[in-house]
Amino acid sequence: MSLRDPGSDLDIQVYFQPPPASVLRGAAVVILDILRATTVHAALFAGEAGAVYPVADFSAGISLRDAIPDSRLIGEVGALPPPEADYGNSPTEFESLDVRGWTVVHVTSNGTRALVNAIDADLALSGCLRNRSASIDYLLSRKSERIAVVCSGDHNGSAPSVEDSFAAGAYVDRLRRLVPDARLRGGARLALKLFQSYARSPSRAFADSPHGDHLRQLGFQADFKYAGDIDADSTVIVLAVDRSGRPVLKRIPALPH
């Protein structure tokens, strides 16, 4: 399937931390939070969850859970669920549950904040390593002139993260293969070099991740294998708004091949 003319204009940009919302206007955007918010989204929608509402903080999350009947509040503070959460932020936890039809309110330190920040983009996806190819195919099908890969980062998005930067390079690598004439801006070139420096191995990148160290100490090692399984599923997860104007993630069918 031809997703884009080989000679067409395409700018590929990578932001190692979420930029101001205005920067993303006019772009097709994919948000990455590999450990673990956007990987959790892949697990939920692979299990046929109905909708996920990304929220920036737990105060707003509690209010939204109370406003949406039968919804569940999930997420983390310091990688662990606070008392008010119904579930945590581990993709392997949701892989083992029957989540069919669930409506989820999701709060994390980095990823859900970055998604809310991208609401004014022309198109925004929740992306991870597991749905890399499916997400890229969908982005290219939209014929955007600018694709922005946004890393959620660490410490409320105030610092880059190794795992998100590595994953951004994985996205750039596939984009470059599909659209060889695309223009790689500075961040995209750096992310690609990082991906190559780890020999395209998620486990090597995760081993160098300070946040990964924190998760290991808490006993979440199983999440690394799940998060690092590149192109394991075809889940495409789009950020939209509901009838009340609230950001919400929905699964759409992957493009046929």
Side-chain angles (χ1 to χ4, degrees):
M1 177 181 63
S2 175
L3 296 172
R4 191 179 187 95
D5 296 332
S8 59
D9 289 338
L10 176 63
D11 272 10
I12 301 173
Q13 301 169 316
V14 168
Y15 298 95
F16 296 104
Q17 300 160 237
S22 59
V23 172
L24 301 179
R25 292 187 187 125
V29 177
V30 57
I31 303 294
L32 305 176
D33 185 2
I34 304 305
L35 299 178
R36 297 166 288 172
T38 57
T39 304
V40 164
H41 300 155
L44 286 166
F45 285 109
E48 300 183 15
V52 176
Y53 285 83
V55 180
D57 61 72
F58 269 99
S59 176
I62 293 168
S63 297
L64 186 54
R65 177 185 59 184
D66 293 344
I68 301 176
D70 300 319
S71 62
R72 280 102 164 160
L73 178 61
I74 72 169
E76 54 77 27
V77 174
L80 293 172
E84 56 266 36
D86 300 310
Y87 298 92
N89 192 49
S90 168
T92 53
E93 176 183 17
F94 296 109
E95 185 188 30
S96 67
L97 294 172
D98 183 357
V99 301
R100 285 175 293 179
W102 279 21
T103 298
V104 174
V105 179
H106 192 194
V107 183
T108 67
S109 303
N110 304 299
T112 57
R113 294 169 185 263
L115 281 158
V116 171
N117 185 63
I119 195 62
D120 291 330
D122 277 10
L123 167 70
L125 304 183
S126 172
C128 61
L129 289 169
R130 294 181 64 86
N131 66 359
R132 179 193 64 161
S133 289
S135 297
I136 287 172
D137 289 352
Y138 187 78
L139 288 172
L140 292 177
S141 76
R142 297 296 293 266
K143 311 296 185 184
S144 177
E145 295 182 356
R146 179 161 65 103
I147 290 177
V149 182
V150 177
C151 303
S152 298
D154 284 339
H155 308 298
N156 299 323
S158 65
S161 75
V162 173
E163 63 276 8
D164 291 351
S165 302
F166 169 86
Y171 271 70
V172 173
D173 182 70
R174 178 161 174 82
L175 282 163
R176 184 189 60 164
R177 293 172 188 272
L178 293 174
V179 190
D181 294 336
R183 291 183 294 270
L184 302 188
R185 300 305 182 183
R189 292 175 183 269
L190 182 57
L192 180 60
K193 291 288 187 183
L194 182 68
F195 177 64
Q196 293 168 339
S197 74
Y198 282 112
R200 298 175 168 80
S201 169
S203 62
R204 292 186 181 189
F206 296 167
D208 273 351
S209 163
H211 183 53
D213 287 343
H214 181 55
L215 292 174
R216 285 186 195 90
Q217 292 169 12
L218 294 173
F220 290 113
Q221 292 91 332
D223 288 349
F224 298 127
K225 185 177 186 302
Y226 189 89
D229 199 352
I230 298 177
D231 295 336
D233 66 51
S234 57
T235 307
V236 179
I237 304 167
V238 176
L239 182 67
V241 293
D242 70 4
R243 293 180 180 178
S244 299
R246 299 172 297 206
V248 61
L249 295 166
K250 294 278 191 174
R251 176 177 181 166
I252 61 171
L255 294 173
H257 286 276

